[in-house]
Amino acid sequence: FDLAEISNKEAAARLVKAMRTIGLKRFLFASDRSGTNNPPPGEAWKRFLQLPLTNDEFKTIAGNVMPWVK
């Protein structure tokens, strides 16, 4: 799964609960940078860091890569 944009705190809480159930190794940070209405990757990363995850969980997701890239 990719994590491109989270709309609000309620959605973020539901997402984090689902992520923990599914497994954090299955998620990749992503940026929907097509078009001019979306933030650049650096800003998207700052928004991603607003999710209610632990530092270890952020590190896990930051280290994830697609299997065919390994």
Side-chain angles (χ1 to χ4, degrees):
F1 303 95
D2 78 49
L3 302 164
E5 186 66 34
I6 311 304
S7 59
N8 59 54
K9 287 185 179 184
E10 292 80 22
R14 288 191 308 271
L15 173 64
V16 167
K17 183 178 179 181
M19 290 169 63
R20 289 175 175 150
T21 299
I22 294 166
L24 295 171
K25 287 286 192 184
R26 296 180 180 266
F27 289 86
L28 297 168
F29 169 75
S31 172
D32 281 350
R33 186 56 181 151
S34 62
T36 58
N37 293 330
N38 297 317
E43 180 62 30
W45 179 254
K46 288 178 187 175
R47 292 180 185 186
F48 170 67
L49 293 177
Q50 300 301 310
L51 287 174
L53 293 166
T54 67
N55 286 337
D56 285 340
E57 290 171 328
F58 282 120
K59 287 178 187 177
T60 295
I61 295 168
N64 290 343
V65 296
M66 295 171 278
W68 57 88
V69 175
K70 292 181 180 180

